[in-house]
Amino acid sequence: MNTPQAVDTTDVIVVGGGTGGYSTALRAAALGLDVVLVERDKVGGTCLHRGCIPSKAMLHAAELVDGIAEARERWGVKATLDSVDWAALVATRDDIVTRNHRGVEGHLAHAGVRVVRGSARLTGARTVRVEGVQEGGREGVRQDSAPGVSGGTAPGVRDLCARRGIVLATGSRPRTLPGLTPDGRRVVTSDDALFVPGLPASVLVLGGGAIGVEYASFHRSMGAQVTLVEAADRLVPLEDADVSRHLTRGLKKRGVDVQASARLLDAEVLEDGVRARVRTARGEVRTVEAERLLVAVGRVPVTDGLDLAAAGLTTDERGFVAPADWRRLETAVPGVHVVGDLLPPPSPGLAHASFAEGLLVAETLAGVVSAPVDYAAVPRVTYSSPQTAAVGLSEAEARARGHEVEVNSMPLTAVAKGMVHGQGGMVKVVAEAGGGQVLGVHLVGPHVSEMIAESQLIVGWDAQPDDVARHVHAHPTLSEAVGEAFLTLAGRGLHQQ
């Protein structure tokens, strides 16, 4: 039987070691606070170990595969792809993840953050019990010794108390569908899709949001026949309609069977794959057979076992823990803050947003005045081929909020570098009429994930088209199309459509 330890009092307790959690811990420690970070798995969370980093590593490999085909078919470079060495690809991906993981652990150790490995549950508004504590841990992370626990790996219990506050950063997990149980082999979620050995010859992807589109794009690059099913009337339905249109066109050109306004009726798991029935937008019922079915229909907050009620907290009907004060991300219980995927919209559930949330909460707990997170200026990226990137309001959102808007769309092929890449795409700017502030910028095409930072500043600083038009963009670059779009809105365009 585990014996509870004496209460360990610290300034801040962070529950969850993903992007939101470890950013909170690092910033709080840098501000002189004593911090305990509780993590039951590995620091880095979903983003580092199962999401952002490994998936983008694989998508880079897919880009290289696509480049071989482009070299041969468009540029006359007689290159051929013999095969994909799956083991080598996985080894490179895992090496990238491992090095990043060690980096996070090293940062935490250097900052003096005490990492307690175990499962946390709240016992009050300022107290946490950690069960299954494993002493010792991985090299590089400061593991605080627990009085009364014998042996380097003996399980124990730790009671913690926070002088300043508790930060909940327990993240999210993939949403599943009723009657469709992931088995990690034929039916998979985004958490395990890249960890199933080998490459399937065919994939049925359910969900046309960013995650589903990225996985559809990856598998198509690797030669699979891909069917992508989205219940909404278009892919990435939270983005501008023109973004969806260009993205869909690009995916279809690559051979992805895109089915919007479509629904899964049922699916049968077979020995060698799945057989599903899908109702299409036309009302037809299609049977789709594939080696693998990937469920990418969103994510849900993780609060299992956290015992929110013990601290006086509740979740909303969707499972989120809503803050009472968005300026401080503080709940209705003073001293309890929330970051990352536990937050409801307008927090977008993106890793880079959780970094900003972690900084805000850490500074709040340290008594440092900090500006609230500007969610309107948080960029959104889909790392498919073609890529999409956006910041701010879509045209429809701007009009729905009562703005009179001017819109300019510029094809990437209007500039020389866009012709070089030859993949199409566009820049779309939404601004208040009469030369008013820029409300949103939307990009589709190659490398636009690297181009969105400029637009983030434009939207975040309430710039007007004329402010941007006076700045010179390098030639020839893809970002020239961004500059040209603003020149046109400012009445100075050289390539007006």
Side-chain angles (χ1 to χ4, degrees), residues 318-335:
R318 298 164 295 178
F320 294 113
V321 180
D325 184 354
W326 279 94
R327 296 168 300 174
R328 299 162 52 91
L329 299 181
E330 188 172 25
T331 68
V333 178

Side-chain angles (χ1 to χ4, degrees), residues 2 13-17 36-43 114-122 128-138 141 143-144 153-160 169-170 304-306:
N2 293 331
I13 302 168
V14 181
V15 181
V36 172
L37 173 64
V38 183
E39 171 56 50
R40 64 185 178 188
D41 189 6
K42 297 179 180 179
V43 292
R114 292 184 286 156
V115 176
V116 175
R117 300 190 183 280
S119 298
R121 63 180 177 87
L122 302 176
V128 172
R129 173 164 290 184
V130 188
E131 299 173 326
V133 175
Q134 296 294 320
E135 300 305 318
R138 290 182 177 269
V141 178
Q143 295 284 325
D144 196 36
T153 58
V157 175
R158 184 84 63 87
D159 286 325
L160 305 172
T170 50
D304 312 54
L306 198 53

Side-chain angles (χ1 to χ4, degrees), residues 200-237:
S202 54
V203 181
L204 169 59
V205 180
L206 298 181
I211 294 174
V213 167
E214 288 178 3
Y215 280 100
S217 180
F218 168 79
H219 285 99
R220 183 61 194 139
S221 296
M222 292 299 176
Q225 295 298 314
V226 178
T227 302
L228 177 56
V229 175
E230 166 57 41
D233 62 356
R234 56 190 176 87
L235 298 183
V236 289

